[in-house]
Amino acid sequence: MCGITGIFDTRGARAIDPAVVQRMNDSQQHRGPDDGSLHLEPGIGFGHRRLSIIDIATGQQPLFNEDGSVVIVYNGEIYNYQALIPELQALGHVFHTKSDTEVVVHAWEAWGQDCVKRFRGMFAFALWDRNRQTFFMARDRLAVKPMFYAVLDDGMLLFGSELKSLLAYQHHGSGLRRDIDPLAVEEYFALGYVAEPRTIFKQARKLEGGHSLLWGRGEPAPAPRQYWDVRFSNDSRIGLEDACDELRRRLTESVKLRMIAEVPLGAFLSGGVDSSAVVAAMAGLSDGPVNTCSIGFDDPQFNESAFAQTVADRYQTRHRLEVVGSDDFDLVDTLARLYDEPYADSSAIPTYRVCQLARKHVTVALSGDGGDESFGGYRRYRMHLMEERLRSALPQGLRRPLFGLLGRVYPKADWAPRVLRAKTTFEGMARNSVEAYFNSMSILREPMRAQLFSPALKRQLGGYGAHEVFARHAANAGTDDPLALIQYLDTKTYLVGDINTKVDRASMAHSLEVREPLMDHELVEWLATLPSSLKIRGQEGKYLFKKALEPMLPNDILYRPKMGFAVPLARWFRGPLQARLRAAIQGERLADTGWFEAAYLNRMLDEHQSGARDHSAPLWTVLMFDAFLRNAGDGQAPAAAAPEPALELA
């Protein structure tokens, strides 16, 4: 696992300043503390930070082919690399290392840009082929590993594992413009993250998962090319017993592939179904005890450590538990610096802590991320299916005015039991399926954003709404199955923008590699062929997964209510974080953007602190945006610039 960065002169072969590449590379030292190297030639500057996992002795990067005409910087793991070596050797390629990185180089030579279709793993890489005068970069199918890039006005393409490496580029007055994209602000306050391919800055982009970019020197700017997508067909006729057997086989295979390492290996263990399944599979494949790590909280409402201990005892793991104080909120600025963009998932705090704990004992940890999306585990999936049945029973001409009115007038009863919180359901019933799901996923829903945003920001948005992110993906989903559609939407949005982003930055902050067996693309593809009735049955989510795991895990692990990895935001904002939150809301940074209505910010704060409403998630979103402004650009808050078209590679 590593950090990569670099520069490609798209127009010619201008000299690259090694000090600039070094500065870009040093900005990501946390991603690879074991080694840092550069490669420069006319028009090319590559940097690499290495966290040694496989082929520790000879796997240094940048790495080259036999004659030095192809050079690569690579971040990730290709789990099937050993199976590809004989095929490439039969084509005449000579290997000088035992690393998966060299497999990528020779695969490029053999298969060109289609090489990515042969890889099974998580990866982001960039390579330069001198003979073809071609730059190529790619990102894994499910976007586990990050890739940022930007094309400057002078034709220099910058890329890196983290946005901070692009911000570190400064050369003769040229650099990444720090104009904030108003459309990204809209997406952030709706979703809690900036959705791909956008970034918070107009000039920078994220390469989307399952995409590559091929650019010949001197050629016009190309569009990224999609090489993979998941297709939900729901056409399998497999029975439950056979499906359980096949799922256990595929889970075991996926975990086994991810246990290849030359360094200490372990797993996160929360006590939930997904991480417990991974640990159970690891135990069956290991000669000795599995290393497991858990975070507990001193507040019982948020503490799952007893369930994690149950699994650890069953499989006799070497278990480490660290109890975190429920007032562990001193990471606000640390998180803002880590994520580079505004990012509002408060579970980044315990994720940061569990990665910190794990790194004390292992270098690689397996996680259970991705299970809810593929197996149908979220409670919101069951709620959406219930609403979908009602939507299909009533004509839209009746639903939209009736439920639209109810959604507007029904009070938001934060204090009430979930079954009585009907406002969201009424709002959803007035919308179509995609609009309703977007509404349920929004932190600040459209009426709240309409009150929060100033007239100046609304003019800059020009009518753009973050719901367009979901609409764009829904148009490509290729399914009308209600569950499959929202699983597809989550795979393209929440999984990438929230979950994978959270885990990558939190883990690499501690130089820890995290691997996700439940995001193996072959497993995801197979699950997408299964009928929705095997994923959700009645009120039971993850139906197939739990049935398959019954021989491996006790029922009080499999069938207990889902708790989640949460922190007590509501209490923090009425207690120890109250002063900081008020200072942010009433401070100059937010006001200077000219984008927010101060009266609405203060009203949200007063309603929350009085106990009248629970605005904890929206207020955390505001606090983290303020922290981003404070930390962006080494303390230089970027200006809220006048509107201009965001750069598009096309």
Side-chain angles (χ1 to χ4, degrees):
M1 196 58 56
C2 308
I4 63 174
T5 192
I7 305 166
F8 164 51
D9 183 356
T10 68
R11 298 176 183 172
R14 287 168 284 182
I16 304 297
D17 186 344
V20 173
V21 185
Q22 187 69 59
R23 185 165 62 246
M24 295 170 70
N25 205 34
D26 289 347
S27 73
Q28 300 182 142
Q29 185 170 357
H30 53 284
R31 297 187 71 94
D34 296 332
D35 189 28
S37 300
L38 308 181
H39 169 75
L40 290 100
E41 60 180 87
I44 291 291
F46 281 3
H48 183 264
R49 295 296 322 184
R50 187 182 189 206
L51 177 62
S52 302
I53 304 294
I54 294 174
D55 192 18
I56 293 174
T58 63
Q60 289 80 8
Q61 298 183 45
L63 188 143
F64 303 83
N65 66 339
E66 298 95 329
D67 64 5
S69 62
V70 178
V71 58
I72 189 172
V73 283
Y74 158 76
N75 169 31
E77 303 288 353
I78 306 296
Y79 300 118
N80 65 329
Y81 79 100
Q82 292 173 330
L84 294 173
I85 290 174
E87 186 176 357
L88 290 165
Q89 287 175 326
L91 295 173
H93 295 280
V94 178
F95 284 78
H96 298 286
T97 74
K98 298 178 181 178
S99 73
D100 55 343
T101 310
E102 192 173 4
V103 168
V104 179
V105 171
H106 295 310
W108 159 259
E109 293 181 287
W111 304 308
Q113 61 182 325
D114 285 340
C115 65
V116 289
K117 298 178 181 179
R118 302 290 193 106
F119 303 150
R120 185 176 183 180
M122 55 181 187
F123 54 83
F125 65 85
L127 62 80
W128 167 247
D129 189 322
R130 189 183 311 120
N131 293 338
R132 303 185 203 183
Q133 289 288 287
T134 296
F135 172 86
F136 181 66
M137 66 179 181
R139 191 176 181 195
D140 66 75
R141 295 167 179 83
L142 289 159
V144 177
K145 292 291 99 187
M147 179 68 92
F148 293 85
Y149 69 104
V151 183
L152 306 186
D153 296 337
D154 61 3
M156 291 294 187
L157 183 150
L158 314 178
F159 69 89
S161 298
E162 298 185 15
L163 192 53
K164 58 175 58 69
S165 68
L166 278 62
L167 293 168
Y169 177 93
Q170 290 292 329
H171 187 63
H172 297 311
S174 175
L176 182 73
R177 292 195 304 272
R178 303 189 181 196
D179 304 347
I180 295 179
D181 186 347
L183 278 60
V185 176
E186 155 72 4
E187 291 176 2
Y188 169 72
F189 278 94
L191 300 171
Y193 55 88
V194 180
E196 321 237 332
R198 207 179 305 279
T199 75
I200 192 62
F201 299 116
K202 288 183 180 180
Q203 202 174 22
R205 282 289 179 269
K206 305 178 186 96
L207 186 65
E208 293 185 84
H211 282 68
S212 62
L213 182 71
L214 182 74
W215 198 332
R217 176 172 280 165
E219 296 179 357
R225 170 181 180 247
Q226 186 172 21
Y227 68 85
W228 181 86
D229 201 2
V230 60
R231 286 295 166 217
F232 284 85
S233 63
N234 296 1
D235 57 4
S236 174
R237 296 295 176 262
I238 192 170
L240 177 60
E241 185 176 348
D242 289 340
C244 287
D245 290 341
E246 180 65 10
L247 178 51
R248 284 190 291 265
R249 185 193 70 78
R250 287 178 177 271
L251 173 64
T252 300
E253 178 196 34
S254 182
V255 169
K256 184 177 182 180
L257 284 172
R258 286 158 179 79
M259 292 176 67
I260 301 171
E262 298 175 14
V263 294
L265 176 80
F268 299 145
L269 179 57
S270 69
V273 174
D274 299 334
S275 66
S276 298
V278 170
V279 168
M282 289 178 73
L285 294 164
S286 302
D287 294 330
V290 176
N291 293 300
T292 55
C293 297
S294 295
I295 289 292
F297 294 92
D298 60 6
D299 184 339
Q301 184 180 352
F302 299 91
N303 189 16
E304 291 186 283
S305 61
F307 298 104
Q309 190 65 54
T310 296
V311 178
D313 290 343
R314 175 164 179 155
Y315 286 102
Q316 297 182 311
T317 72
R318 189 179 293 113
H319 190 58
R320 278 95 174 189
L321 169 67
E322 189 169 288
V323 176
V324 175
S326 57
D327 287 345
D328 182 31
F329 48 76
D330 59 347
L331 291 175
V332 171
D333 287 315
T334 299
L335 294 178
R337 288 190 293 269
L338 281 181
Y339 288 86
D340 296 327
E341 300 185 276
Y343 178 80
D345 186 342
S346 60
S347 68
I349 292 176
T351 302
Y352 180 94
R353 293 301 188 200
V354 76
C355 290
Q356 187 177 51
L357 169 63
R359 191 59 178 91
K360 296 175 183 177
H361 308 285
V362 300
T363 310
V364 177
L366 274 61
S367 83
D369 294 315
D372 285 311
E373 289 77 9
S374 288
F375 293 109
Y378 291 120
R379 179 184 178 274
R380 62 178 180 263
Y381 289 174
R382 302 193 292 280
M383 293 297 296
H384 182 83
L385 293 181
M386 179 195 73
E387 292 175 10
E388 196 68 7
R389 288 191 291 271
L390 292 172
R391 268 189 288 271
S392 64
L394 297 172
Q396 184 170 340
L398 173 63
R399 283 192 293 106
R400 192 171 290 273
L402 173 61
F403 289 105
L405 174 63
L406 288 172
R408 287 191 297 273
V409 302
Y410 197 87
K412 183 172 174 56
D414 302 311
W415 48 268
R418 283 185 182 271
V419 295
L420 298 179
R421 298 184 198 177
K423 187 178 184 69
T424 303
T425 299
F426 291 151
E427 291 174 340
M429 289 298 297
R431 295 166 163 85
N432 66 34
S433 183
V434 175
E435 292 170 346
Y437 192 63
F438 170 78
N439 184 66
S440 73
M441 292 293 289
S442 297
I443 297 176
L444 281 87
R445 293 174 179 155
E446 193 280 328
M448 294 183 73
R449 300 197 305 281
Q451 295 178 79
L452 174 66
F453 294 162
S454 70
L457 178 55
K458 291 173 184 175
R459 286 193 297 271
Q460 293 186 45
L461 290 175
Y464 176 78
H467 66 273
E468 294 179 31
V469 174
F470 279 42
R472 173 171 66 90
H473 289 302
N476 298 320
T479 180
D480 56 5
D481 179 89
L483 177 60
L485 175 60
I486 60 176
Q487 285 182 284
Y488 182 86
L489 291 176
D490 269 0
T491 299
K492 296 295 181 179
T493 58
Y494 180 73
L495 180 65
V496 177
D498 190 305
I499 302 297
N500 287 349
T501 298
K502 173 179 64 180
V503 174
D504 176 80
R505 305 306 188 279
S507 60
M508 294 313 297
H510 300 290
S511 304
L512 175 75
E513 174 173 309
V514 175
R515 300 175 178 177
E516 296 88 356
L518 303 184
M519 276 191 256
D520 183 275
H521 82 272
E522 293 189 8
L523 174 61
V524 169
E525 288 173 343
W526 177 73
L527 289 167
T529 69
L530 301 181
S532 295
S533 60
L534 282 179
K535 299 170 185 175
I536 294 179
R537 186 162 295 187
Q539 289 301 304
E540 195 63 64
K542 294 184 182 173
Y543 178 76
L544 170 64
F545 198 32
K546 292 174 181 177
K547 285 293 182 183
L549 293 172
E550 283 181 353
M552 303 164 65
L553 294 168
N555 282 357
D556 59 353
I557 295 295
L558 294 174
Y559 295 104
R560 69 183 179 88
K562 185 177 178 65
M563 183 177 288
F565 213 28
V567 294
L569 286 182
R571 180 167 58 78
W572 287 356
F573 288 150
R574 293 182 181 121
L577 269 181
Q578 178 176 348
R580 173 161 186 168
L581 180 62
R582 188 171 293 278
I585 282 177
Q586 298 176 350
E588 295 181 355
R589 279 183 297 272
L590 293 176
D592 286 348
T593 65
W595 283 345
F596 307 108
E597 293 288 354
Y600 186 69
L601 285 170
N602 280 289
R603 191 174 99 203
M604 276 202 302
L605 179 62
D606 292 342
E607 287 179 349
H608 182 84
Q609 292 182 347
S610 71
R613 294 284 298 275
D614 181 359
H615 288 308
S616 53
L619 290 172
W620 180 260
T621 306
V622 172
L623 183 66
M624 294 309 295
F625 192 80
D626 177 75
F628 157 74
L629 293 175
R630 180 165 61 267
N631 287 282
D634 297 322
Q636 301 288 322
E644 72 179 78
L647 177 68
E648 297 284 355
L649 287 184

